[in-house]
Amino acid sequence: MALFSFDRCELCKEELFDEEFFCKACMEEIENHLMLERFEEEGYYVYSLFFYRGIIRDLIRSWKFYSSSYMIHPLSFLLEKFIIENNIYLEALSYIPMYRRKKLVRGFDPMEDLAKALAVKTGLEATNLLRRNRSTKPLYKMKAQERKKEIAGCFDVVASPRFKVVGILDDIYTTGATTREAARVLFEAGHQDFFFIVLAK
Ligand SMILES: [Zn+2]
């Protein structure tokens, strides 16, 4: 018997049989929070999977803030399902990165790990388009104007365009300040074929 097996539901710890990661009841609850949405911003699309509430909020919180890095397995499972079921065309996966020093403190960059895990699962190329060049404060308490100011100039583009369609992962979308700033620098560097996939909105 393997020491680590995923034979219990990630949420309620109920034993699993045929299911992967979540029992039937929890999967149903997860799907109740599905809010597949695609919206267009200035020249790019944003896909969003879930409402940021209930069970989904718990999942994301325990993953990011309590460093439950094993959460990338159920999350990449949900993302893969979303990409396949919605016929989303993409060739590579990138992510909105954390500031390097913050990653050292936390021990991992959740979005980086998720992008890599999803790339392995889907056979897509894992790439990294962006780097955060300074620490930014959490945006959730700020007003729209403050968010914009806080995040302005915080990303550098670290890869030149190769004309592949890249899906850029991020966790939570609120006012879109982060994706807007990332898109701005990407366009400036000549990138065109990208869109964002956010877990929750
Ligand atoms: Zn369950």
Side-chain angles (χ1 to χ4, degrees):
M1 246 221 26
L3 263 179
F4 294 100
S5 58
F6 297 104
D7 56 358
R8 286 192 181 270
C9 174
E10 295 291 350
L11 289 161
C12 70
K13 306 299 168 203
E14 183 92 10
E15 205 175 325
L16 298 181
F17 299 97
D18 296 334
E19 309 95 328
E20 242 188 311
F21 303 117
F22 305 105
C23 70
K24 273 204 179 74
C26 289
M27 196 63 208
E28 239 165 62
E29 201 179 333
I30 288 171
E31 281 172 356
N32 282 340
H33 290 80
L34 260 185
M35 181 208 51
L36 305 179
E37 212 188 317
R38 185 181 84 153
F39 47 98
E40 194 174 2
E41 298 209 314
E42 289 151 52
Y44 58 93
Y45 284 103
V46 180
Y47 290 87
S48 154
L49 266 78
F50 293 103
F51 282 113
Y52 187 57
R53 66 181 188 204
I55 210 167
I56 296 299
R57 195 171 51 199
D58 296 345
L59 265 177
I60 293 177
R61 275 189 184 160
S62 78
W63 170 48
K64 286 190 62 184
F65 304 111
Y66 305 107
S67 300
S68 315
S69 50
Y70 67 90
M71 279 293 177
I72 61 165
H73 299 293
L75 286 167
S76 58
F77 166 79
L78 291 172
L79 275 165
E80 184 191 24
K81 197 165 135 71
F82 169 78
I83 288 168
I84 292 170
E85 284 174 4
N86 293 281
N87 280 316
I88 297 174
Y89 181 76
L90 73 171
E91 293 163 303
L93 287 161
S94 187
Y95 56 93
I96 296 288
M98 203 179 235
Y99 182 48
R100 207 161 47 107
R101 209 168 299 157
K102 197 170 165 189
K103 178 183 166 181
L104 282 178
V105 171
R106 189 172 289 182
F108 74 115
D109 180 335
M111 297 321 299
E112 180 184 356
D113 290 356
L114 183 59
K116 284 181 180 163
L118 187 60
V120 169
K121 242 182 182 346
T122 53
L124 293 165
E125 182 190 322
T127 183
N128 179 20
L129 301 184
L130 297 160
R131 177 179 57 209
R132 203 181 285 248
N133 55 33
R134 61 176 164 84
S135 148
T136 48
K137 293 186 196 117
L139 300 180
Y140 59 90
K141 281 184 193 153
M142 297 180 191
K143 294 192 180 110
Q145 270 308 316
E146 292 173 288
R147 286 171 196 243
K148 201 176 160 187
K149 212 173 143 195
E150 180 62 32
I151 205 115
C154 82
F155 295 120
D156 295 327
V157 177
V158 293
S160 41
R162 288 181 301 135
F163 307 101
K164 281 192 167 181
V165 182
V166 186
I168 304 169
L169 300 180
D170 200 11
D171 48 6
I172 305 152
Y173 183 99
T174 35
T175 60
T178 307
T179 49
R180 210 168 298 128
E181 180 60 14
R184 187 185 69 77
V185 294
L186 285 169
F187 282 134
E188 236 176 57
H191 288 270
Q192 289 177 337
D193 303 319
F194 62 87
F195 57 85
F196 297 91
I197 305 172
V198 294
L199 286 173
K201 190 180 154 205

